[in-house]
Amino acid sequence: MVMGFKDGELIGATNIPTPTDSSVTGNDGDTVLLIIGDGTHESTTFNDLSASDHTVTGNGHVKHMRTLRHGNVSSMYFDEVEDYLTIPNHADFNLGAGDYTVEAWIYYTDVPSSTEVYRIMAQGELEDHNGDWCFGFGHTAVWGTGVRMNLAIRSGGSTTDYVTPDLVVPTFVKDSWHHLAISRASGTLKFFYNGAEVHSVSDSLSMTSSNSSEIMVGARTWDAGNRIEELQGFMDEIRVSKVARYTADFTPVMRHNDYAIESTVGGNTYQIEGKLKF
């Protein structure tokens, strides 16, 4: 049998099993948002593959790129100049004080300087609305030296910053793919970098926006609608789950449009690139 690629998609493949393990497919009943690189080159259309099928709107110059992808048809490029995705508020994002996971694959083309922060995902305006929050990484004098991951939550009229220890170079290197995640289970919040737990803290703050604020990917809102802390680089497999997927060290999986990075057929392991067509 002959297999090949057409428009970035693997065609002619048969008898390749479809994984059912949610840790591999990445899209189960607990997934409330899943945005992957599934677009043609330079497309500005973005899809939520979760059952909720939330509307995802691209802003600025954010687009799909096939020149740098991590297994999927494309990856999503953010150039740090008013590039971000927005998703309208929905009950799916009323995380409250319950269990959840927020995660993404990141390829940053620039390591944040001593005054830069890049946001992976945020909800609303942290300075004004209880229950609004933002997740990202970078440098600020308040956090201490080095590059650190951060989750900030607005509660009771003030902001609580959870910050990891310094993710020292060469661990935090640019121009390569990294998996960043936060996961809360029964009041314990954990930060994971490339599957390794880097910080744990008790947390029961509510993450339900008092303003029914929208979700933003690649930046956050500040001061009556201005966007700040925009990401510079590529993102893929951006996922929000209403379950604590990670409670200990794990091996991150790039899911390749719902297929695992490796498929085993007849005792042989194959690297699968692109979207499978049958």
Side-chain angles (χ1 to χ4, degrees):
M1 185 185 75
V2 177
M3 290 190 297
F5 286 92
K6 181 179 180 180
D7 297 328
E9 298 180 343
L10 182 66
I11 59 175
T14 60
N15 299 321
I16 296 180
T18 301
T20 57
D21 181 353
S22 64
S23 66
V24 174
T25 64
N27 197 2
D28 56 21
D30 295 312
T31 302
V32 296
L33 182 70
L34 178 62
I35 308 170
I36 69 171
D38 63 351
T40 58
H41 187 62
E42 297 192 344
S43 166
T44 56
T45 299
F46 304 91
N47 302 300
D48 171 26
L49 300 185
S50 78
S52 296
D53 190 23
H54 296 290
T55 299
V56 182
T57 302
N59 299 268
H61 311 101
V62 61
K63 57 188 175 182
H64 291 277
M65 298 289 287
R66 288 187 170 181
T67 53
L68 179 64
R69 54 184 178 167
H70 192 20
N72 286 318
V73 173
S74 62
S75 60
M76 290 158 277
Y77 178 61
F78 299 76
D79 70 3
E80 200 184 11
V81 183
E82 292 295 318
D83 280 10
Y84 53 92
L85 304 176
T86 54
I87 301 99
N89 182 264
H90 187 276
D92 282 347
F93 306 118
N94 294 342
L95 302 175
D99 294 355
Y100 69 88
T101 304
V102 179
E103 61 189 305
W105 284 90
I106 312 290
Y107 185 108
Y108 31 87
T109 55
D110 173 60
V111 174
S113 71
S114 59
T115 58
E116 284 185 312
V117 173
Y118 293 159
R119 289 298 169 188
I120 297 170
M121 186 175 293
Q123 182 173 29
E125 193 166 346
L126 194 67
E127 287 73 19
D128 285 341
H129 307 126
N130 288 328
D132 285 1
W133 54 273
C134 54
F135 168 47
F137 59 95
H139 280 275
T140 76
V142 176
W143 297 352
T145 59
V147 179
R148 300 165 184 260
M149 293 169 63
N150 161 258
L151 172 66
I153 305 173
R154 181 78 173 182
S155 178
S158 62
T159 299
T160 297
D161 274 296
Y162 298 121
V163 185
T164 70
D166 180 13
L167 302 171
V168 294
V169 177
T171 303
F172 204 88
V173 294
K174 67 176 184 176
D175 298 330
S176 59
W177 285 99
H178 301 275
H179 186 267
L180 281 72
I182 48 175
S183 190
R184 184 168 67 186
S186 301
T188 297
L189 172 67
K190 294 189 175 186
F191 291 75
F192 295 91
Y193 183 71
N194 289 334
E197 181 184 325
V198 294
H199 190 53
S200 178
V201 63
S202 295
D203 166 50
S204 58
L205 297 179
S206 175
M207 294 169 64
T208 296
S209 174
S210 63
N211 192 53
S212 299
S213 302
E214 68 182 3
I215 298 292
M216 183 173 296
V217 175
R220 78 175 181 94
T221 301
W222 175 77
D223 189 23
N226 292 319
R227 315 303 184 185
I228 61 172
E229 300 175 355
E230 294 106 328
L231 179 80
Q232 180 176 337
F234 296 80
M235 299 181 70
D236 205 345
E237 300 202 356
I238 303 152
R239 180 168 67 159
V240 178
S241 306
K242 277 192 165 178
V243 66
R245 294 194 181 274
Y246 313 121
T247 57
D249 290 0
F250 65 97
T251 300
V253 175
M254 172 54 69
R255 296 175 184 84
H256 293 245
N257 292 322
D258 285 354
Y259 287 80
I261 190 168
E262 296 180 342
S263 285
T264 301
V265 182
N268 296 314
T269 300
Y270 298 90
Q271 299 289 335
I272 304 300
E273 295 287 342
K275 183 184 292 183
L276 297 174
K277 302 199 84 171
F278 297 90

